[in-house]
Amino acid sequence: MDEIQLKKTKLFYELVEYVNELKENSDEIRRYSKDMFEEAEDDFERQNDRVFNINLYILIRLYKKEYNQMKNERGHFNLDDYYDFIDSIGLNDKMNEVYSKLPKMIARNEIVPYVTDNPSFMSMIR
């Protein structure tokens, strides 16, 4: 396995661990229910929400310090905070564009892609 693949694998396992911890112990983002990560084979909107949640948790995991700081300063984390957060963390242009489009894609019932499918994804990993 090459170095990039090892980093991806390590990140994936860290993400799985973090998501499981959030599902059990956290109310960080109250809008999402604990079962949001479970399969929803026949429900397109729920699948889309699930993909969005995974994408958001990847972002929160990679920028946990910045997320916690913003949440502590504002006392909440809503959609406006989401956009401010994306703008404040210095993502490259492509990843910024991807994350900025996700809520609008959900609102229009478009298929939400996993951010890990984007070639620019690895630039997020510090």
Side-chain angles (χ1 to χ4, degrees):
M1 221 184 276
D2 65 1
E3 186 177 336
I4 292 175
Q5 191 62 34
L6 285 172
K7 283 184 177 181
K8 284 183 179 180
T9 303
K10 181 181 177 201
L11 177 65
F12 173 74
Y13 285 115
E14 287 176 359
L15 175 65
V16 168
E17 181 181 321
Y18 183 67
V19 167
N20 285 333
E21 181 183 313
L22 284 174
K23 288 177 3 182
E24 293 173 9
N25 304 319
S26 178
D27 61 350
E28 281 191 34
I29 301 175
R30 297 172 194 263
R31 165 171 149 3
Y32 308 110
S33 63
K34 287 186 177 186
D35 64 347
M36 199 55 85
F37 289 92
E38 295 175 7
E39 292 295 330
E41 295 174 12
D42 297 329
D43 187 342
F44 173 78
E45 289 176 358
R46 189 157 172 210
Q47 286 178 359
N48 248 8
D49 284 344
R50 180 177 173 264
V51 173
F52 175 79
N53 288 337
I54 290 170
N55 289 335
L56 179 58
Y57 285 122
I58 289 171
L59 192 67
I60 290 171
R61 179 71 175 139
L62 291 174
Y63 296 91
K64 187 173 184 173
K65 179 181 170 188
E66 294 87 344
Y67 167 76
N68 286 333
Q69 181 181 355
M70 177 176 276
K71 186 176 163 228
N72 289 337
E73 287 173 0
R74 298 179 183 206
H76 52 75
F77 191 80
N78 59 29
L79 188 58
D80 291 333
D81 299 319
Y82 170 83
Y83 288 119
D84 291 343
F85 179 59
I86 291 168
D87 289 338
S88 72
I89 58 178
L91 294 175
N92 73 31
D93 292 341
K94 185 62 182 168
M95 290 312 297
N96 194 311
E97 179 183 335
V98 168
Y99 271 104
S100 294
K101 286 182 180 179
L102 294 178
K104 295 172 188 144
M105 293 175 79
I106 288 176
R108 293 189 301 249
N109 273 340
E110 297 174 7
I111 296 173
V112 176
Y114 288 97
V115 294
T116 53
D117 293 338
N118 190 298
S120 298
F121 171 71
M122 289 307 292
S123 69
M124 291 173 55
I125 301 172
R126 305 185 258 177

